[in-house]
Amino acid sequence: MTVKKKQINDLLKSASEAANLIREYIEEEKTIHVASHYDADGLAAAGVIGKSLVRLGGRFRVRIERWLDENVVDGIATAGKTALTIFTDFGSGDLNLLGERLSNRRAIILDHHQPVGETPSAFVHVNPHLHGIDGSRDLSGAGVAYLVAKALDKTNVDLACVATVGALGDLQDKYGKRGLGGINETIVEDAVSSGLLKYETDLLFFGRETRPIHKVLAFTTNPFIPGISGEEDASYAFLVQRVGIKPKSKDKWLALRDLSEEEKKKLFSAIADHLASKGLPSDIALRLIGNVYTLTQEEPWTPLRDAREFAVLLNATGRMEEPSLGVAICMGDRAAALERANTMLVEYRRTITKCLNWLNEKPSRIQELNSIYVVRGENFIHENLIGTVSSILSTSLPKHEKPIIAYSAVSGEGLIKVSARALDILADRGLNLGEILRIAAEKYSGKGGGHDVAAGAQVPIESMESFVELVNELVKKRLEEKQLGG
Ligand code: C5P
Ligand code: ZN
């Protein structure tokens, strides 16, 4: 989508309004509550706002939540009547709830989810969708936060890297060569001109500069390479037997950067053949080539150097219930916070591999219906991890014309957490998962929403089968309607 100048100006104007309100509160020495979403983009958004507030000497607190509901909003309401609340990376889908529970409160929403309902009158709402800009691809929650940070003070331009990480965390690399586009692209340019980021086209493996190649292959989950992702030993054997590359030379492990162009091509073709042999469409292999975003000021051996890996690290902290580590790292903490986050990352990767193996053990766990795949995480996959699992499966199941509806039980709450993902081809055909999940969840007294290609819902567990069946029908109907309408 081409973003017009007027749309950008209107968005920037609302970012300035938000910045002005923040300044007012800081000048009056009033507390600011930042509430943000627990995924990589949400943590990056909270980090961007947190760092900007520190720089202005603001008094603030950050809380990270998996979603907004009555309890969370009531908690915020009792936290301080005179405080300003800033919601980042969520809020736009819950305008009515916020209006009911926080009426007459001053609050700011910095989000990129599809807005649902009316913005409460005392709120400043910054969201690309309100200006005709695509919030699923062109700007992330961290990106919106960055626009406000920049409006607060030009020196915050160094936070453009964190906003880039947020956009990649939300899988917004949907432009050519898996690049960021739209307003994200201008944020990337800010980071590049500040000397903090570079990008180039290469094989998109994590740890290209420093890690042994077999580990690098095993760490790759987008796309998911069956039999290699998460499997270091199998990945080692693949390199030696199928590609003809020895991972070790004279006691030294080779990193990807040690390979010649010729060897890289051989590696790529071997993986492409391997993916084809697993029945995956040919365009999946192409996801392995694209823009690599490198944070040039980060130490080469840390997961912060590659922006996509940085995002995985943030997800690990958020989803393994240590989100404050992720926020602290986005605000510039390294040392102990990074060390602890690294441990979470190892644990997170191990757990995800375990979940994927478990799903593949029984065919009933990944079931193909007429129009969707249903992935049944039941009580085995933690609700915090079902989103990651769903994203990984979206590139590894054979039929790309079917979206994935994955769910897990939320322990002790009588709910299922649903995470739905679709590839872009379906959004191009008019499918909007955010809308479908919202309609289906509301029919069964649940709550749903999100973006066209990535959406979520919480639904009472007893309605699970009916909910899944309704989503199956709605997807079918929507795609047929679109086909008939051309
Ligand atoms: O939780 P999951 O990662 O699957 O969510 C996908 C997207 O849908 C996220 O951006 C999330 O914020 C959004 N979502 C939503 N409303 C819900 C659940 C998820 O907007 N009830
Ligand atoms: Zn987001």
Side-chain angles (χ1 to χ4, degrees):
M1 186 205 279
T2 25
V3 180
K4 298 201 184 75
K5 214 164 173 173
K6 159 108 175 61
Q7 294 170 307
I8 298 178
N9 284 341
D10 288 349
L11 175 70
L12 293 178
K13 213 170 118 202
S14 73
S16 293
E17 266 174 54
N20 289 341
L21 187 56
I22 292 173
R23 256 189 232 106
E24 253 177 55
Y25 272 73
I26 292 179
E27 275 159 20
E28 289 169 21
E29 296 185 7
K30 287 185 185 157
T31 305
I32 297 178
H33 291 283
V34 181
S36 195
H37 193 214
Y38 76 151
D39 70 2
D41 185 31
L43 300 184
V48 166
I49 287 299
K51 188 75 189 176
S52 321
L53 296 178
V54 167
R55 285 177 171 162
L56 291 173
R59 267 211 325 249
F60 69 100
R61 250 181 265 153
V62 179
R63 58 193 289 164
I64 303 295
E65 302 286 350
R66 52 189 180 163
W67 56 63
L68 284 179
D69 58 20
E70 284 77 5
N71 289 341
V72 172
V73 178
D74 287 349
I76 291 169
T78 49
K81 289 202 164 35
T82 55
L84 170 72
T85 304
I86 307 178
F87 295 96
T88 52
D89 196 38
F90 56 19
S92 296
D94 298 285
L95 296 171
N96 293 339
L97 172 72
L98 295 176
E100 278 159 30
R101 310 267 166 158
L102 298 177
S103 57
N104 305 322
R105 300 292 186 88
R106 297 313 307 269
I108 295 173
I109 300 175
L110 310 178
D111 194 5
H112 67 133
H113 290 92
Q114 290 159 11
V116 182
E118 284 291 313
T119 304
S121 55
F123 280 37
V124 176
H125 189 184
V126 190
N127 184 317
H129 288 289
L130 298 174
H131 308 283
I133 299 171
D134 181 357
S136 14
R137 286 167 194 74
D138 289 356
L139 190 62
S140 68
V144 176
Y146 171 73
L147 298 181
V148 173
K150 213 172 139 185
L152 276 170
D153 196 312
K154 287 269 178 297
T155 58
N156 289 328
V157 72
D158 62 345
L159 300 172
C161 276
V162 182
T164 303
V165 169
L168 291 168
D170 262 7
L171 310 180
Q172 295 196 323
D173 50 348
K174 307 278 191 193
Y175 283 77
K177 293 192 190 151
R178 287 192 60 189
L180 293 167
I183 303 195
N184 281 328
E185 197 175 354
T186 60
I187 296 177
V188 165
E189 293 311 330
D190 274 1
V192 171
S193 49
S194 320
L196 302 172
L197 187 80
K198 68 171 185 191
Y199 61 94
E200 61 203 316
T201 307
D202 201 349
L203 287 172
L204 286 177
F205 294 125
F206 288 169
R208 300 168 317 128
E209 302 192 32
T210 51
R211 286 209 194 95
I213 305 172
H214 66 290
K215 285 200 188 245
V216 155
L217 285 189
F219 280 169
T220 301
T221 52
N222 185 6
F224 187 80
I225 312 171
I228 292 179
S229 296
E231 315 266 352
E232 276 186 32
D233 293 345
S235 164
Y236 185 96
F238 178 83
L239 278 174
V240 177
Q241 291 159 15
R242 300 277 298 278
V243 194
I245 290 176
K246 283 199 199 117
K248 209 170 191 176
S249 152
K250 293 187 199 137
D251 283 348
K252 187 179 165 284
W253 291 107
L254 292 185
L256 205 68
R257 68 161 176 202
D258 299 320
L259 298 188
S260 64
E261 283 308 308
E262 201 51 42
E263 284 172 316
K264 279 192 200 172
K265 277 190 191 140
K266 258 169 74 182
L267 174 60
F268 174 73
S269 323
I271 296 176
D273 290 349
H274 174 78
L275 288 169
S277 76
K278 300 282 174 196
L280 291 165
S282 55
D283 57 328
I284 283 294
L286 291 177
R287 296 184 68 77
L288 284 167
I289 302 175
N291 281 351
V292 180
Y293 295 91
T294 307
L295 277 73
T296 50
Q297 305 300 307
E298 299 294 342
E299 298 291 353
W301 52 85
T302 69
L304 308 183
R305 177 95 174 169
D306 181 315
R308 285 188 180 82
E309 196 172 1
F310 193 148
V312 174
L313 179 96
L314 293 183
N315 258 317
T317 65
R319 295 177 189 270
M320 306 295 279
E321 305 193 326
E322 298 244 18
S324 54
L325 285 176
V327 178
I329 289 170
C330 290
M331 290 176 64
D333 265 25
R334 295 293 179 262
L338 182 56
E339 197 178 312
R340 176 99 187 100
N342 270 325
T343 315
M344 313 285 344
L345 181 58
V346 173
E347 178 77 20
Y348 175 69
R349 286 198 159 114
R350 196 178 299 140
T351 315
I352 296 290
T353 304
K354 224 166 79 187
C355 294
L356 292 167
N357 290 340
W358 180 83
L359 285 172
N360 285 319
E361 271 165 24
K362 278 197 185 156
S364 60
R365 291 177 185 159
I366 302 182
Q367 199 188 357
E368 187 181 342
L369 304 188
N370 287 342
S371 310
I372 57 173
Y373 283 109
V374 188
V375 175
R376 302 182 185 278
E378 312 290 357
N379 291 308
F380 186 86
I381 301 182
H382 191 278
E383 69 194 74
N384 288 359
L385 299 178
I386 195 70
T388 309
V389 167
S390 193
S391 294
I392 291 174
L393 290 175
S394 68
T395 56
S396 70
L397 292 180
K399 297 203 180 136
H400 283 178
E401 67 279 16
K402 294 193 177 182
I404 291 174
I405 311 299
Y407 71 83
S408 288
V410 183
S411 64
E413 293 187 37
L415 288 175
I416 52 164
K417 161 78 185 82
V418 183
S419 272
R421 300 288 185 272
L423 292 185
D424 280 348
I425 42 165
L426 290 178
D428 296 343
R429 284 169 58 191
L431 189 80
N432 183 339
L433 284 179
E435 201 183 5
I436 288 178
L437 259 64
R438 182 173 56 79
I439 295 169
E442 281 173 4
K443 165 128 198 231
Y444 295 105
S445 324
K447 226 165 103 0
H451 310 289
D452 52 6
V453 290
Q458 299 86 251
V459 183
I461 199 156
E462 61 275 11
S463 307
M464 185 246 302
E465 288 305 336
S466 324
F467 170 83
V468 166
E469 201 31 64
L470 178 56
V471 173
N472 187 34
E473 266 170 42
L474 290 172
V475 169
K476 179 162 175 265
K477 214 164 125 198
R478 188 73 189 121
L479 290 176
E480 278 174 1
E481 271 167 19
K482 202 67 191 177
Q483 209 163 19
L484 288 176

